[in-house]
Amino acid sequence: MTHKIAILGASGYTGAELVRLISTHPSITIAALSADRKAGMEMAEVFPHLRHLDLPTLVTIDEIDFTEIDLCFCALPHKTSQEVIAKLPMTMKIVDLSADFRLRDADAYKKWYGNDHSELEIQKEAVYGLTEFYREDIANARLVAGTGCNAATGQFALRPLIEAGVIDLDDIILDLKVGVSGAGRSLKENLLHAELSEGANAYAIGGTHRHLGEFDQEFSAIAGRPVKVQFTPHLVPMNRGILATCYVKGNAAEIHATLAEAYSGEPFIEVLPFGQAGSTHDTRGSNFVHIGVTDDRIEGRAIVIASLDNLTKGSSGQALQNANLMLGLDETEGLMMAPLFP
Ligand SMILES: NC(=O)C1=CN([C@@H]2O[C@H](COP(=O)(O)OP(=O)(O)OC[C@H]3O[C@@H](n4cnc5c(N)ncnc54)[C@H](OP(=O)(O)O)[C@@H]3O)[C@@H](O)[C@H]2O)C=CC1
Ligand SMILES: CC(=O)N[C@@H](CCC(=O)OP(=O)(O)O)C(=O)O
C-alpha cells in the first residue's frame, strides 16, 4: 500500500529535500506540491537536480484537493504555517517543519518570535518532533512539530547528559556553526556570496537566538528545574551542515559512556570512539548524527562535538522519520542512505 502525501513549500530548500528523500521511498507517493511565487512552475524548472522525477506541477495551497492526502508536510515560513494549518482538514496528519508548534507555552512563543500565536488550540495537540525522544507520542500524533535544526543538534549532544545528571546544569556552553541553507532560499544581503564566503560570523549574540526557547523548554522539562545554556550560533561558508561544540563540566569518560548507552539502539545516532570529534563532512546528505566526546586539559571538564545535516536530520529527514512513524511504517524507510563524502 502506498500513502499519498502533499508538500507545502516544495519550492524551498526543505521542501526540495523532502522530494529528494521521498522520491525513492517504497511506501509514499507525492500527490501534490505547493509554492507561493513559483506556483505554476514545474519542479524541474525550479530545481534542475530533480528533473528525472515525474512530479506534480507546483500549485497554490488553495488548489490542492486534500481529501486524497494521507499526510501533509508543511515547509512554510513561521507564522504562515500556523495560518495555513488552521485551514487544513482536522483529520489529516501533518508534519510541520516551521517553528510554529514547537513551543508549548504561549508566552515563550511570543517572547522568542515576537508575535502572538493565533492557533493555541491546535498547538495543544502538537508533539515535539525530536524522534528519538518522543517516538511513541509521534506515532500516535496528528500534528508533529519539527525541531529547529540548531536546537536538534544541541539536544542530541546534551539531552542524555542532563537526564543522567552527569554534567553541571549551570555550566553548559554551546558553540555552533551552521551552513547557509539553514537560512532558507529567499534572498538576504548577508547571504550574498561576497558577504558570506571567506569568512564566518556569530549571530543572534547575547543569548538571543530563538532556538533558546526550545533548549529552555526541553532541558528544563528533563531536569525538572530551569536550565539555561549559553548558546552562540555562527554562520560559516558551507552549504549544508551543523557542528555543535559543547563545553561542559563533568567526567568525560562518564559522559561518553552515558551517550553510548543512551543511543545504543538508535539507527541514526553514532557515538564515536572516545577522543574523536564529529564532522559535517561525515554526515552531509544523510540522516545520521555523529557525536564525539573528549576530555580537556582542565580537570573535570569535557567537550562534546555533534554534527548533522540541517536539511536532513535537522529538518526534512527528521520530518520523514516522523511521518514514517505516523503512517505505521518502519521509521528508517527511505532514510538509510550513506552520507555524501567527500
Ligand atoms: N532550512 C533549514 O535548514 C531549516 C528550515 N526549517 C524551517 O522549515 C520551513 C521551511 O524552510 P526552508 O525550506 O528553508 O524555507 P525556504 O525559504 O527555502 O522556502 C519557503 C517555502 O515556502 C513558500 N512560501 C513562502 N511564503 C509563503 C506564503 N505566504 N504562502 C505560501 N507559501 C509560501 C515558498 O514559496 P516560493 O518559493 O514560491 O516563494 C517556499 O516554497 C521554515 O519554517 C524554516 O524555518 C526548519 C529546520 C531547518
Ligand atoms: C543559517 C541560519 O540562519 N540558520 C537558521 C536555522 C534555521 C532553522 O532551524 O529553522 P527555524 O527557523 O525553523 O527554527 C537560524 O539559525 O536561524
Side-chain angles (χ1 to χ4, degrees):
M1 174 180 164
T2 178
H3 300 273
K4 287 190 176 175
I5 62 97
I7 300 170
L8 309 186
S11 55
Y13 282 152
T14 58
E17 184 72 349
L18 276 165
V19 172
R20 183 178 78 90
L21 297 173
I22 293 171
S23 67
T24 53
H25 196 293
S27 319
I28 295 182
T29 306
I30 298 172
L33 298 172
S34 92
D36 185 27
R37 292 164 305 163
K38 299 193 181 77
M41 293 175 74
E42 298 299 332
M43 276 297 269
E45 293 176 73
V46 183
F47 295 115
H49 71 289
L50 298 173
R51 70 172 306 114
H52 64 289
L53 300 172
D54 185 15
L55 294 167
T57 303
L58 290 162
V59 295
T60 61
I61 296 168
D62 294 341
E63 292 174 83
I64 297 176
D65 176 7
F66 286 100
T67 56
E68 60 163 27
I69 304 293
D70 298 310
L71 184 143
C72 180
F73 293 96
C74 290
L76 302 169
H78 319 316
K79 201 159 180 296
T80 302
S81 200
Q82 57 188 273
E83 290 161 11
V84 167
I85 286 174
K87 293 185 198 138
L88 295 177
M90 287 299 286
T91 49
M92 187 174 61
K93 294 179 194 292
I94 298 170
V95 178
D96 184 27
L97 281 76
S98 86
D100 278 353
F101 296 98
R102 294 174 193 159
L103 298 181
R104 291 185 278 275
D105 181 73
D107 293 337
Y109 179 83
K110 182 157 191 185
K111 173 180 170 186
W112 293 106
Y113 290 89
N115 54 283
D116 286 315
H117 203 293
S118 62
E119 304 302 333
L120 291 173
E121 274 309 304
I122 300 177
Q123 164 59 44
K124 283 184 194 151
E125 62 172 310
V127 173
Y128 191 66
L130 201 64
T131 326
E132 284 70 12
F133 299 94
Y134 287 92
R135 199 169 257 129
E136 273 181 36
D137 290 342
I138 289 167
N140 296 313
R142 184 185 80 87
L143 171 62
V144 169
T147 70
C149 51
N150 305 327
T153 319
Q155 287 183 71
F156 283 125
L158 294 167
R159 280 186 81 114
L161 308 181
I162 293 171
E163 177 136 38
V166 295
I167 55 172
D168 183 340
L169 298 181
D170 298 315
D171 190 353
I172 302 173
I173 298 171
L174 175 43
D175 178 298
L176 185 140
K177 319 288 185 301
V178 56
V180 63
S181 62
R185 207 180 188 213
S186 54
L187 295 172
K188 293 168 193 140
E189 270 179 16
N190 67 322
L191 304 183
L192 293 170
H193 182 79
E195 301 187 29
L196 174 78
S197 62
E198 298 175 40
N201 63 277
Y203 63 99
I205 56 171
T208 58
H209 194 283
R210 58 193 190 285
H211 288 179
L212 279 164
E214 287 175 65
F215 288 131
D216 288 358
Q217 169 179 289
E218 296 300 309
F219 291 161
S220 301
I222 301 167
R225 59 106 149 159
V227 174
K228 288 188 175 175
V229 299
Q230 236 184 321
F231 166 52
T232 306
H234 302 77
L235 184 62
V236 299
M238 61 183 176
N239 291 334
R240 288 169 176 253
I242 295 182
L243 188 74
T245 305
C246 310
Y247 299 90
V248 293
K249 202 169 164 188
N251 179 285
E254 189 179 23
I255 286 169
H256 184 258
T258 302
L259 289 167
E261 164 72 21
Y263 293 126
S264 63
E266 289 298 341
F268 294 117
I269 320 285
E270 296 288 323
V271 177
L272 306 174
F274 188 83
Q276 288 186 16
S279 163
T280 58
H281 287 294
D282 300 331
T283 51
R284 194 157 69 102
S286 82
N287 205 49
F288 292 101
V289 182
H290 282 196
I291 306 176
V293 180
T294 178
D295 50 10
D296 191 78
R297 71 192 178 115
I298 301 173
E299 183 78 26
R301 296 202 68 93
I303 303 168
V304 183
I305 303 176
S307 94
L308 55 72
D309 185 321
N310 57 294
L311 289 180
T312 42
K313 190 59 172 159
S315 53
S316 304
Q318 177 200 82
L320 179 55
Q321 199 179 343
N322 290 334
N324 281 337
L325 284 170
M326 294 162 82
L327 294 170
L329 303 171
D330 185 312
E331 183 179 323
T332 63
E333 267 193 47
L335 287 168
M336 289 308 289
M337 65 281 177
L340 192 62
F341 184 90

